[in-house]
Amino acid sequence: MQVLRETKAELKRLVSTPGNGKQVPLGALLLERGLITPEQLDAALAEQRRTGELLGRILVERGYLSKQALGEALAAQKGHSYLNLTEVPLDEGLVRSLPEWVVAQHRVVPVARVDDEVFLGMVDPTDVEALDVAASHLGGRVRPVFITEADFDWAYSRFFGARHRAARTLEALPQDSGSPASPATVAVVEAAEDAPAVQLLNSLLGDAIRAGATDVHLEPESEDVGVRFRVDGILQDRLRVPHPVAASLISRVKVLAGMDIGERVRPQDGRLALDFGGREYDVRVATVGSAFGERMTLRLLNTRQVLLGFDRLGLEADQRRVLERLLRRPHGMVLVTGPTGSGKTTTLYAALHHVNDRSRNIMTVEDPVEYRLPGITQIPVREKMGITFEVGLRSILRHDPDVIMVGEIRDRATASMAVHAALTGHLVLTTLHTNDAASALVRLVDLGVEPYLLASAVVAAVGQRLVRVLCRRCRQAQPADAETRELLGIQGPLVVYRPAGCAECGGTGYRGRTGVFEILEVDARIQDLVLRRSPASMLAEAARAAGAASLRDAAAHKVLEGVTSVEEFRRVLAVED
């Protein structure tokens, strides 16, 4: 492969002007440059106090700031130039001329060689030791330029990620022609911490976290095992590994999760903790035997994600005010509805965080307890021990609670008890698997709750979905055709945005997800319809007549604002052409 030799003129175009190195707080510097507003800074600082997250990362994730602008501001703080790695055609040979341990330990990436000078991207350009170590391997002079942590993570995954590690692991493992459950592969689990299987697992989980994946799937097929990440709700193929490599990976995870490595047919569940880049992750593991070997799914739960406020959920301003008002009520039931994977748990936890203070006794019963919330008593469902939602809820009522969260209403007994709790002075937050808010009320009647009790207990039902957010860096504007205007209910000229794909979004055109919501308040009109056992369509029509936006209205608004695309609107709401 030909070594990249950028000219000085080309690099000058990509490298920002060095800053003066003044130690001005990042927020003040961004305000001074007019890159954010005081209101945006206040919101980001409030989230930082809750989560402990880096301010710059919060501003970028909220869409207040581009990665380029953040990098230039941070570089100005440090007195160095900034280089956006995703705009540079990195040469694999040059990058790999540094040993992986040097790249990982010092967080550096060789960018380009000009004559006898190597431009070295550094997360910390003041690290003299890193400069010396890099210079000794690269030869010649080294010129430091600042790169962000996001830049480094992107480059590291590209050149030292799971694909590269899988090839090395295959070379190191004993090879045989046996089954996917070969004893030779299981022996790798007992190796040292620098064993190939251990390193491959670390790379795989690191790649998943950097990509923003919520799930990692290891799916055995006849020839090999596919590895897929679920990113922004969509499964993406990442790599394929031979059965022996996958078997060693699965065995390693089982050891860490306290599972039986000898059982490869019956379903198993486990759990392990993971610390990555200062963020804590709770990893839920599930395995099951299949026709071609053992299948494993790992769900990655970011423990800081639940500390987000309502402003990060995607609620419109008027919807947020309504929900905050409902949560100030001393009693009643608030239902959160939607299909699996629509973000109901995140909304419930945001609501719990909103009402959590030392003057209230808050208790939950969940299956499982996905996130630990300080100041709240959380009870996990344990079916084998007889602790069901019903049993847990009955126990909670003996502990003088003010707020009760029931993870999910699945049966008549739990529904009846939750309604009773809402009628006897408790604020009850819970979820139902229905397609929209109106259907939740009908579903509770179907479960056997008397309409007159339901009409008095439920104060609101919240329906929601998740849509992918267009990448701000590469989204493309285009005029809407007549069909799109009709779909969105707009007459006259209209500009919408479509996904394009770039290095920052992994070529998908999307970065992150946001919620679309509908809130059905149970007023006198809705109560009357519930008492008459009216269908969900009539309940929804009454809510719209009272001014409540539907899920379709909310999603259309996100399209009009350029937050998401028409394709996402169709996909999430199952709207046909």
Side-chain angles (χ1 to χ4, degrees):
M1 183 179 294
Q2 185 177 359
V3 177
L4 175 68
R5 294 187 179 275
E6 293 283 323
T7 66
K8 292 182 180 179
E10 290 171 331
L11 284 173
K12 186 176 181 180
R13 177 180 61 84
L14 295 173
V15 177
S16 69
T17 303
N20 55 22
K22 291 182 179 179
Q23 290 302 310
V24 180
L26 177 61
L29 182 60
L30 295 172
L31 286 176
E32 180 184 317
R33 295 186 169 199
L35 296 172
I36 59 173
T37 65
E39 293 75 19
Q40 290 173 335
L41 178 58
D42 289 342
L45 287 172
E47 181 173 329
Q48 185 185 44
R49 287 191 291 271
R50 288 195 304 269
T51 65
E53 191 62 270
L54 294 173
L55 178 62
R57 182 176 290 170
I58 293 172
L59 290 168
V60 172
E61 289 180 351
R62 282 174 170 259
Y64 297 160
L65 195 65
S66 70
K67 185 171 75 72
Q68 177 77 27
L70 173 63
E72 292 175 354
L74 290 172
Q77 272 190 319
K78 300 175 183 296
H80 283 79
S81 304
Y82 167 67
L83 180 64
N84 187 342
L85 282 191
T86 57
E87 293 185 350
V88 182
L90 296 176
D91 178 72
E92 182 173 358
L94 179 61
V95 174
R96 292 192 182 280
S97 64
L98 275 186
E100 183 181 351
W101 70 267
V102 174
V103 174
Q105 179 176 323
H106 296 288
R107 302 180 72 75
V108 296
V109 179
V111 176
R113 186 186 296 274
V114 178
D115 300 327
D116 64 341
E117 187 176 50
V118 176
F119 285 76
L120 183 68
M122 306 180 68
V123 173
D124 181 7
T126 64
D127 188 343
V128 177
E129 180 185 354
L131 282 168
D132 290 343
V133 173
S136 66
H137 286 88
L138 294 170
R141 293 183 301 160
V142 172
R143 176 178 171 182
V145 291
F146 173 72
I147 59 174
T148 64
E149 291 192 9
D151 285 324
F152 174 80
D153 288 342
W154 171 80
Y156 187 83
S157 291
R158 177 179 173 186
F159 294 105
F160 301 100
R163 285 189 177 90
H164 166 69
R165 187 73 68 184
R168 292 180 56 187
T169 302
L170 182 60
E171 294 173 0
L173 286 175
Q175 298 298 304
D176 60 23
S177 58
S179 69
S182 168
T185 63
V186 178
V188 177
V189 179
E190 302 172 358
E193 286 300 310
D194 61 350
V198 176
Q199 295 177 358
L200 176 57
L201 177 61
N202 293 340
S203 295
L204 190 64
L205 293 177
D207 285 359
I209 291 172
R210 293 185 190 100
T214 56
D215 301 86
V216 177
H217 296 259
L218 279 72
E219 304 166 331
E221 298 176 12
S222 58
E223 299 297 327
D224 53 20
V225 177
V227 179
R228 295 198 289 175
F229 293 170
R230 186 176 294 279
V231 180
D232 296 334
I234 304 296
L235 281 172
Q236 301 176 358
D237 289 312
R238 286 291 166 154
L239 70 155
R240 308 195 71 82
V241 296
H243 280 288
V245 175
S248 66
L249 271 178
I250 290 173
S251 296
R252 173 64 181 171
V253 173
K254 283 182 171 182
V255 169
L256 295 175
M259 301 161 69
D260 182 1
I261 65 171
E263 177 57 70
R264 301 186 183 90
V265 178
R266 295 180 181 176
Q268 291 191 74
D269 296 297
R271 198 168 191 163
L272 60 96
L274 175 67
D275 187 293
F276 183 84
R279 289 183 174 184
E280 295 181 357
Y281 290 83
D282 189 18
V283 183
R284 286 163 47 190
V285 184
T287 62
V288 66
S290 74
F292 297 111
E294 195 169 14
R295 188 194 201 283
M296 173 174 280
T297 301
L298 300 96
R299 170 153 290 186
L300 308 175
L301 303 173
N302 183 352
T303 57
R304 290 181 177 176
Q305 190 69 27
V306 296
L307 299 177
L308 301 179
F310 284 147
D311 54 339
R312 289 290 296 276
L313 296 181
L315 289 159
E316 302 295 338
D318 57 340
Q319 291 178 327
R320 178 178 172 180
R321 287 192 293 269
V322 168
L323 191 53
E324 289 177 343
R325 171 171 54 80
L326 293 171
L327 293 174
R328 287 196 293 269
R329 298 183 63 143
H331 56 81
M333 178 185 289
V334 176
L335 294 161
V336 180
T337 71
T340 300
S342 59
K344 298 187 297 297
T345 299
T346 301
T347 300
L348 275 186
Y349 281 147
L352 286 175
H353 178 75
H354 183 77
V355 302
N356 188 14
D357 61 61
R358 299 302 298 172
S359 67
R360 284 177 161 180
N361 178 21
I362 304 176
M363 303 184 72
T364 76
V365 55
E366 309 171 52
D367 182 23
V369 175
E370 294 188 359
Y371 303 97
R372 271 72 171 185
L373 300 176
I376 295 177
T377 301
Q378 297 172 266
I379 302 171
V381 168
R382 296 185 176 97
E383 298 277 358
K384 294 181 180 179
M385 300 175 64
I387 303 176
T388 62
F389 277 113
E390 178 191 0
V391 172
L393 182 53
R394 182 181 293 113
S395 175
I396 284 176
L397 291 173
R398 302 191 188 105
H399 289 266
D400 186 33
D402 297 295
V403 181
I404 300 170
M405 192 268 269
V406 181
E408 182 184 351
I409 291 180
R410 298 176 179 173
D411 51 51
R412 178 174 183 173
T414 306
S416 177
M417 192 168 297
V419 168
H420 173 74
L423 291 171
T424 53
H426 307 91
L427 178 62
V428 178
L429 310 176
T430 188
T431 72
L432 269 178
H433 282 275
T434 59
N435 287 328
D436 54 35
S439 299
L441 301 176
V442 176
R443 173 63 176 154
L444 287 176
V445 173
D446 291 341
L447 284 174
V449 179
E450 290 294 337
Y452 72 91
L453 295 175
L454 187 63
S456 301
V458 178
V459 297
V462 180
Q464 70 177 84
R465 295 288 193 280
L466 291 176
V467 296
R468 290 186 290 172
V469 176
L470 285 165
C471 175
R472 291 275 178 173
R473 184 172 183 265
C474 66
R475 66 176 185 172
Q476 296 178 350
Q478 64 178 24
D481 56 23
E483 182 182 352
T484 298
R485 293 197 300 271
E486 181 181 358
L487 181 70
L488 300 177
I490 300 295
Q491 297 180 350
L494 173 66
V495 173
V496 294
Y497 289 87
R498 60 177 296 275
C502 65
E504 290 192 16
C505 61
T508 65
Y510 298 94
R511 290 188 66 184
R513 291 188 292 177
T514 189
V516 291
F517 296 84
E518 63 177 2
I519 300 179
L520 186 154
E521 284 196 78
V522 180
D523 56 14
R525 172 63 175 159
I526 298 294
Q527 286 179 330
D528 181 59
L529 291 173
V530 170
L531 290 171
R532 289 191 281 158
R533 297 177 180 264
S534 301
S537 58
M538 293 186 65
L539 296 174
E541 184 179 345
R544 287 194 295 271
S550 66
L551 280 172
R552 183 178 179 126
D553 296 334
H557 189 237
K558 294 283 195 244
V559 174
L560 297 176
E561 287 186 322
V563 174
T564 193
S565 65
V566 176
E567 292 80 5
E568 274 295 281
F569 177 93
R570 295 183 189 277
R571 182 185 70 85
V572 172
L573 297 182
V575 177
E576 299 294 338
D577 289 340

